[in-house]
Amino acid sequence: MTQLETIKKELGKPYHDLEFMLHCFKEVLIENNEEELASCIPWFCNTSESDTTKFTQKHFHMYSVCFQMLNLAETNGAVQNRRKVEEENTLSAINGLWADCFKILKKEGIQQSQILQVFSDIEVEPVLTAHPTEAKRPVILKKYRELYLLLVKRENSMYNSYEINENRNEIKRVISSIWNIDEYYIEKPTVETELDNVLHYFKNVFPEIVPLVNRRLFQAWEFSGFETNSLSSENSFPQIKFGTWIGGDRDGHPLVSANVTRNTLLKLRLNAFLILKEELLKLSEDLSFYFEIKELPEQIYARYYDLIGELGKSSKSALNTSRNEAFKLFVLLLIHKLPVKIGKAQSFEILDKQGTYSESQQLIADLLILKNGLISVNKKSLYINSVARTIQIVKTFGFHLATVDVRQNSAYYAKAFQQIMHSSYSANEKDSLKNSDEKLRIINSELKSNRPFLRNWSNMPLESKNVLDSFSVLQQHIALYKANALGSLIVSMTRHVNDLLTIYILGRETGLSFFDKTLVLKLHVVPLFETIEDLEASPAILDSYFSYPEVQNSLDYQRRQKQLPQKTQEVMIGYSDSNKDGGILASTWYLYKAQKEISAIGDKHGICIKFFHGKGGTISRGAGPVHWFLRSLPHGTLSGKLKITEQGETIEKKYANKINAAYNLELMLAGSTLNTLLHKNSRVNNKEVSTILEYMGKKSHEFYAKLLQNKYFLEFYGQATPIDVIEESKIGSRPARRTGKRTFEDLRAIPWVFSWGQARFHITSWYGVGSTLELLKVEYPDRYAKLKELFFESQFVRYAFTNIDTSLASTDEGIMKMYAGLVVDPEVRESIMDLILEELQKTRRYMGELLGKPIKERRRNHYYSTVLRAEALRVLHQNQINYLKEWRRLSSDEPEKKAALLNQLLISVNAIANAMGTTG
């Protein structure tokens, strides 16, 4: 029995679907005169024969397609399984979804009124970034989405044999297209193409998903025995909003210019209006019932004539239609109020021309008048089913579609500040800027004034010119359209209060500030704490920052602008660099500890802390099931506001198909609601967790750092992983290194994790754990015993160690040894490999003690999926290693041959990424 046959027997339908697609693929290959390739399809062919086959680019491509088919089959299997479980059991049978959360809340004694009250505090904001972890081109992503929908279509039992056969032919057509399109990037994508890729989700996925998620909430509310009238009549659903870094993330990205940011904001704005116009047209059709204008209720009747007056001549085209459908006509007038001319040029009208809306709140106000009018004429169901949906769409997307965060490195801002000071200060004063205390004194002095240093910065050095150009674009946007489209000014690598206060002075140069008793900054400054050292320093930095009246007044101004109940400070914490810096346990603990301490600082200053979780797509960079992640957050740190990055292949994995997208958004919304209420209404004693994890975080950091500081480590890393290939890849517009220096510090966390994953070491998500557990058991056996109990008692401990368990399952000792064979110097190879293998054995042994049962019994689906992937992965790894050897042997005198081999290697990286289901 083959491995696939065994897994079909164990796990059923998803793997029958895989087999079906592979048969279709085999036929496509044969039809394309690729009989030899067809005989090498993984899980069909004899593995020993594949071992002797020298892979060409086509072989790698074929394997990559097969693994993507496996991903699609498993995704569809998960969706179908959730449907089956809900149907056969109840809505509350799926962990993390609304009905399950309501069941937990009822068990905790939390009342319906308390849940309804907290809904107004809930705001979930996934932020789609362009971090280079998506190896597939957008055209291929589109084809795989098409293939997925055809696979779903096969679920329909009503089709006859002819329709089933036609579906099969369509599947073959799409596979043929996939086969003939290159999967990987030959040239780096531009920022504009990355924006176009995420626009697919903003335009085509999320507008349909938001109403679906609300309907799921309504179903669960009713199922849980709660009274539905208040929920439906008040439209009091938790809020989803979306953000993006594309076009605003400048950290080590020289291509994100001021013009790119300007164009990004305008493109998002235009697409917001396209969505709103489409939504309002749907609403007008829903309200196409006969009703005379003169019979409209008083409020809507008055507003109807006000609209005509405001629009003037431009209302004529609406008034010439639907005269006997007063409610529809009202909506058509709202469409004419949108401040955009959507024609061939898709150009914007000037704001306020002919009475157009200046902000989305005005449209919402008119929709509420429409709501009251419908209720007055006994058409409440039309409000609930149609107008409420439109209001929610407007609340979600506004006139901006998604907020754009602007991120830059603190060192870059510091250099820009220094250049401006140098242009204005005397020689003696310039020398003082080198001292951080003296620099702070100068900043404190300058905060007392709103007078800019410069009137014209066109001749300033690069850094200051770039910063001021970008800030000027933000100020211009605020002047034209207000600040709704603008997210936060994120300062990465925040290490001193200077790093945050500097932004106030830089913003002053471009009109981003004004004076009202103190200097007030219009936009929100957000620290990003990334390394272990920075996380430890973060509470003191924020304590100092909040003590400034300029900060307090700025936060109060921003509170009023956003209509928040209290001053709120967003704080971003980085999962990637903290892991690269300290390893998995240290990163997990210091992130946890920082959140507790920062929240306490917020309480001290009367400021609500909103954490922005900078998570990536791998365990090492904070990935994990979002509902379990939310349960693991430190008690008292969740304010109802969840902001979280969605990066690279994670976006496709979560949101490529709409049912899965709705599931993932529901997990975020329900989890945020559940845990906000639990944090408010219960007490948790974390003292034992803190004591044990403080020790483990510190010790695991020491073990991890010792490996990195080994004199042979970097040489081993450079040769035993394909990092040199990954740095040549074209999977994102951003460079792999922040400043181009070839140092460990300058290497970004994504290629660091990506390279270890490609070679199946995964040390970033387990190294140091085994030695730490061993030391804990020897030095504090009572604490070790308690840790075993905490695995079942503490959501945080369970989440942290389950993630380590997941990563260990993907770590392959045999593959690791194959890659270690690439290290030329035997002393380097053996000394580092011995350390890694010893730690791997320790970690597996002690994790086995903690978890009790083997993964095959605890997590059957994960285990069998890993086994199936491993069978085909070994062949890919062996061929990648062969090409790595050959490529590295070639000199720069053979550029054509070297370039051809690099193409082979790039597609091998893509194939292994598809197989692993993750990159960096």
Side-chain angles (χ1 to χ4, degrees):
M1 187 181 287
T2 66
Q3 197 71 261
L4 182 55
E5 289 294 328
T6 302
I7 292 172
K8 276 164 54 184
K9 186 177 177 183
E10 289 288 338
L11 300 182
K13 190 178 180 304
Y15 301 92
H16 288 276
D17 286 344
L18 170 65
E19 186 177 48
F20 165 78
M21 285 190 286
L22 292 175
H23 276 297
C24 291
F25 189 22
K26 187 171 186 176
E27 291 174 22
V28 167
L29 289 171
I30 292 168
E31 289 164 8
N32 279 269
N33 300 313
E34 300 285 3
E35 287 84 358
E36 187 272 330
L37 280 172
S39 68
C40 296
I41 287 180
W43 309 302
F44 279 7
C45 65
N46 186 318
T47 309
S48 59
E49 290 177 11
S50 294
D51 286 349
T52 60
T53 303
K54 183 173 181 181
F55 269 34
T56 64
Q57 187 166 319
K58 286 184 176 180
H59 285 85
F60 284 123
H61 183 31
M62 182 263 290
Y63 264 66
S64 183
V65 173
C66 291
F67 275 115
Q68 189 63 17
M69 287 176 175
L70 172 56
N71 295 338
L72 294 180
E74 289 184 340
T75 297
N76 187 45
V79 170
Q80 300 306 328
N81 183 60
R82 287 197 298 269
R83 283 178 173 151
K84 183 180 178 184
V85 168
E86 284 188 342
E87 185 64 29
E88 293 180 355
N89 298 284
T90 66
L91 275 181
S92 62
I94 305 293
N95 281 328
L97 298 183
W98 278 120
D100 175 53
C101 291
F102 292 150
K103 182 174 74 175
I104 294 169
L105 291 172
K106 288 176 81 173
K107 189 176 177 182
E108 291 289 324
I110 295 171
Q111 303 299 310
Q112 171 184 306
S113 58
Q114 293 173 279
I115 301 172
L116 275 172
Q117 188 177 7
V118 87
F119 277 168
S120 61
D121 296 332
I122 303 300
E123 183 181 285
V124 165
E125 185 180 356
V127 178
L128 278 60
T129 79
H131 278 42
T133 60
E134 174 53 80
K136 296 181 284 297
R137 294 166 60 205
V139 64
I140 281 291
L141 291 172
K142 185 177 179 181
K143 288 295 175 185
Y144 280 128
R145 284 192 285 265
E146 191 178 354
L147 180 57
Y148 178 85
L149 291 174
L150 289 167
L151 183 64
V152 171
K153 223 174 173 183
R154 292 185 74 241
E155 307 290 338
N156 194 329
S157 60
M158 301 299 291
Y159 288 146
N160 62 31
S161 60
Y162 301 103
E163 289 170 314
I164 291 169
N165 191 52
E166 179 55 28
N167 175 265
R168 193 177 195 279
N169 289 333
E170 280 292 285
I171 285 173
K172 284 180 63 178
R173 175 188 63 78
V174 176
I175 291 172
S176 181
S177 178
I178 289 169
W179 172 246
N180 285 289
I181 297 173
D182 288 320
E183 277 201 332
Y184 69 97
Y185 290 100
I186 294 174
E187 296 179 351
K188 274 186 173 289
T190 64
V191 179
E192 289 78 6
T193 56
E194 289 172 334
L195 178 61
D196 287 340
N197 188 34
V198 299
L199 274 171
H200 163 78
Y201 299 95
F202 290 141
K203 291 191 303 181
N204 304 322
V205 177
F206 296 140
E208 288 188 33
I209 296 312
V210 170
L212 177 56
V213 172
N214 286 343
R215 288 199 297 274
R216 289 275 305 176
L217 167 56
F218 193 86
Q219 285 178 339
W221 189 262
E222 190 173 37
F223 169 82
S224 302
F226 295 141
E227 188 269 318
T228 58
N229 187 57
S230 55
L231 183 65
S232 58
S233 62
E234 296 303 318
N235 194 29
S236 56
F237 296 108
Q239 186 63 52
I240 305 172
K241 293 190 175 178
F242 296 98
T244 185
W245 279 10
I246 299 170
D249 186 6
R250 293 175 157 70
D251 187 4
H253 200 326
L255 300 178
V256 181
S257 65
N259 274 337
V260 165
T261 301
R262 179 185 289 107
N263 293 336
T264 298
L265 289 165
L266 289 176
K267 196 165 191 177
L268 290 168
R269 185 171 171 83
L270 171 62
N271 280 281
F273 288 130
L274 293 174
I275 289 169
L276 294 181
K277 184 176 181 183
E278 183 66 26
E279 181 62 31
L280 288 166
L281 283 171
K282 284 181 192 172
L283 177 60
S284 72
E285 290 169 3
D286 287 354
L287 303 185
S288 291
F289 57 92
Y290 289 124
F291 200 95
E292 293 298 324
I293 294 168
K294 63 185 179 183
E295 294 178 5
L296 284 170
E298 183 180 349
Q299 186 187 24
I300 191 170
Y301 181 83
R303 183 59 185 147
Y304 167 79
Y305 280 103
D306 285 344
L307 289 170
I308 293 171
E310 290 166 10
L311 288 167
K313 292 178 182 178
S314 64
S315 67
K316 283 186 178 179
S317 58
L319 294 173
N320 289 333
T321 60
S322 312
R323 295 292 300 181
N324 298 317
E325 301 164 276
F327 284 94
K328 176 180 180 179
L329 182 55
F330 185 85
V331 177
L332 293 177
L333 291 172
L334 303 188
I335 294 172
H336 281 269
K337 288 275 288 181
L338 295 177
V340 63
K341 179 181 178 181
I342 303 173
K344 288 183 180 178
Q346 293 189 331
S347 57
F348 292 99
E349 292 281 7
I350 299 170
L351 277 173
D352 297 326
K353 184 176 179 181
Q354 297 178 338
T356 56
Y357 292 125
S358 61
E359 58 180 334
S360 59
Q361 285 300 322
Q362 295 168 333
L363 173 56
I364 291 172
D366 281 340
L367 288 168
L368 290 173
I369 290 172
L370 176 62
K371 162 200 167 179
N372 294 332
L374 287 168
I375 292 172
S376 295
V377 298
N378 297 315
K379 301 283 186 183
K380 184 178 178 181
S381 65
L382 280 173
Y383 159 64
I384 292 171
N385 294 311
S386 298
V387 181
R389 169 197 159 105
T390 304
I391 290 172
Q392 199 65 23
I393 290 291
V394 181
K395 283 182 177 179
T396 300
F397 299 105
F399 286 0
H400 57 277
L401 193 62
T403 57
V404 177
D405 286 329
V406 172
R407 183 176 76 139
Q408 182 56 277
N409 196 284
S410 60
Y412 198 96
Y413 280 134
K415 194 166 186 181
F417 175 77
Q418 192 170 42
Q419 289 166 355
I420 293 170
M421 294 296 101
H422 275 216
S423 71
S424 308
Y425 273 38
S426 66
N428 290 337
E429 288 172 319
K430 288 177 186 179
D431 290 337
S432 68
L433 289 170
K434 296 174 184 176
N435 181 288
S436 62
D437 290 339
E438 186 60 22
K439 181 180 174 182
L440 182 58
R441 185 193 66 76
I442 292 169
I443 290 172
N444 287 338
S445 172
E446 291 300 332
L447 286 173
K448 305 305 176 190
S449 164
N450 196 36
R451 167 194 50 81
F453 285 107
L454 307 171
R455 295 294 177 188
N456 185 330
W457 56 82
S458 58
N459 294 321
M460 289 295 289
L462 178 68
E463 289 80 7
S464 53
K465 185 177 186 306
N466 283 347
V467 169
L468 297 181
D469 281 348
S470 68
F471 280 14
S472 180
V473 165
L474 304 182
Q475 168 56 23
Q476 289 164 21
H477 194 89
I478 292 171
L480 283 171
Y481 310 120
K482 298 197 174 178
N484 295 331
L486 305 177
S488 305
L489 298 174
I490 299 170
V491 184
S492 56
M493 293 295 174
T494 297
R495 288 176 170 157
H496 194 279
V497 72
N498 288 353
D499 297 329
L500 303 176
L501 297 174
T502 295
I503 312 306
Y504 285 67
I505 309 302
L506 294 172
R508 189 181 71 175
E509 296 299 303
T510 59
L512 274 177
S513 64
F514 61 90
F515 211 83
D516 181 13
K517 298 180 182 175
T518 69
L519 191 72
V520 174
L521 196 65
K522 297 174 188 176
L523 293 180
H524 194 56
V525 179
V526 172
L528 168 49
F529 300 112
E530 300 178 77
T531 67
I532 300 295
E533 186 179 355
D534 296 343
L535 287 167
E536 288 191 285
S538 61
I541 292 171
L542 285 170
D543 193 20
S544 174
Y545 181 63
F546 292 153
S547 68
Y548 280 79
E550 292 81 4
V551 172
Q552 291 284 350
N553 285 351
S554 296
L555 290 177
D556 195 52
Y557 167 79
Q558 293 153 19
R559 175 193 66 77
R560 295 194 305 272
Q561 293 298 109
K562 294 180 180 178
Q563 298 180 332
L564 299 174
Q566 68 178 111
K567 288 183 279 189
T568 300
Q569 174 66 51
E570 186 178 304
V571 177
M572 188 172 183
I573 50 175
Y575 290 69
S576 305
D577 280 282
S578 60
N579 174 275
K580 174 175 170 259
D581 186 43
I584 188 69
L585 264 185
S587 170
T588 303
W589 168 245
Y590 286 109
L591 284 162
Y592 182 95
K593 183 182 178 185
Q595 289 175 77
K596 288 286 290 180
E597 294 177 352
I598 289 169
S599 294
I601 295 296
D603 291 341
K604 173 184 171 182
H605 291 273
I607 292 169
C608 173
I609 301 295
K610 171 186 174 183
F611 285 105
F612 181 5
H613 300 275
K615 290 156 64 73
T618 59
I619 297 297
S620 302
R621 298 180 53 240
V626 70
H627 51 306
W628 295 122
F629 163 71
L630 290 167
R631 294 298 303 272
S632 75
L633 291 176
H635 195 76
T637 61
L638 193 58
S639 64
K641 308 288 190 287
L642 174 68
K643 190 172 179 182
I644 190 167
T645 52
E646 299 284 25
Q647 300 182 7
E649 80 282 357
T650 305
I651 299 171
E652 190 242 353
K653 193 183 297 181
K654 287 185 176 181
Y655 304 118
N657 78 80
K658 292 171 185 175
I659 299 301
N660 215 38
Y663 168 70
N664 282 290
L665 288 178
E666 184 177 344
L667 286 178
M668 287 188 194
L669 282 165
S672 296
T673 304
L674 169 69
N675 293 290
T676 298
L677 281 162
L678 291 180
H679 285 210
K680 283 183 176 181
N681 291 278
S682 61
R683 295 186 177 277
V684 174
N685 182 4
N686 291 310
K687 191 172 181 182
E688 285 180 302
V689 174
S690 298
T691 302
I692 295 170
L693 267 295
E694 178 74 38
Y695 173 88
M696 294 184 72
K698 183 180 177 183
K699 293 300 178 185
S700 67
H701 189 188
E702 291 172 4
F703 287 121
Y704 178 84
K706 189 175 180 182
L707 175 69
L708 267 58
Q709 290 159 10
N710 186 292
K711 63 180 179 179
Y712 295 131
F713 177 76
L714 286 178
E715 185 178 350
F716 178 90
Y717 167 61
Q719 294 178 29
T721 74
I723 180 59
D724 43 354
V725 174
I726 287 167
E727 290 188 305
E728 295 285 340
S729 70
K730 309 295 189 291
I731 63 174
S733 64
R734 177 186 303 279
R737 293 179 183 271
R738 280 191 166 90
T739 64
K741 296 175 184 174
R742 297 203 63 79
T743 62
F744 173 74
E745 290 74 20
D746 201 55
L747 180 68
R748 291 185 180 278
I750 291 168
W752 164 253
V753 173
F754 195 172
S755 52
W756 285 115
Q758 282 274 309
R760 303 294 293 285
F761 283 83
H762 296 294
I763 66 165
T764 55
S765 51
W766 57 260
Y767 194 90
V769 174
S771 292
T772 302
L773 288 170
E774 181 181 59
L775 196 61
L776 180 69
K777 186 176 183 179
V778 170
E779 292 190 353
Y780 300 100
D782 55 330
R783 291 184 188 174
Y784 183 78
K786 182 61 185 176
L787 181 65
K788 285 185 173 183
E789 294 175 18
L790 286 172
F791 183 79
F792 300 99
E793 296 172 5
S794 165
Q795 299 281 359
F796 171 66
V797 171
R798 190 187 318 168
Y799 179 77
F801 283 95
T802 300
N803 280 345
I804 294 167
D805 179 51
T806 299
S807 189
L808 280 174
S810 298
T811 303
D812 191 306
E813 191 173 330
I815 302 296
M816 289 160 60
K817 289 176 179 176
M818 288 163 56
Y819 279 90
L822 291 165
V823 180
V824 176
D825 187 329
E827 187 176 355
V828 172
R829 179 176 61 248
E830 289 165 17
S831 61
I832 298 298
M833 200 60 186
D834 285 350
L835 290 172
I836 291 174
L837 290 176
E838 181 185 358
E839 184 62 24
L840 177 61
Q841 288 163 8
K842 274 186 191 177
T843 304
R844 282 189 168 144
R845 182 168 72 251
Y846 283 101
M847 285 292 291
E849 279 190 22
L850 274 182
L851 301 173
K853 295 179 182 177
I855 193 169
K856 185 176 181 179
E857 294 178 32
R858 288 183 287 105
R859 303 166 70 188
R860 288 178 70 250
N861 286 25
H862 186 84
Y863 169 79
Y864 282 112
S865 176
T866 303
V867 167
L868 188 66
R869 290 169 192 273
E871 178 186 335
L873 264 166
R874 187 167 56 82
V875 183
L876 281 179
H877 286 301
Q878 184 59 68
N879 279 278
Q880 186 184 76
I881 289 165
N882 293 341
Y883 280 115
L884 266 171
K885 286 178 184 174
E886 195 176 344
W887 182 63
R888 287 172 178 172
R889 276 200 301 264
L890 290 173
S891 69
S892 55
D893 296 333
E894 304 172 272
E896 289 184 11
K897 195 171 181 182
K898 196 158 178 124
L901 274 174
L902 178 61
N903 281 343
Q904 298 276 53
L905 283 164
L906 289 173
I907 200 167
S908 78
V909 166
N910 191 61
I912 291 171
N914 274 347
M916 299 294 294
T918 187
T919 53

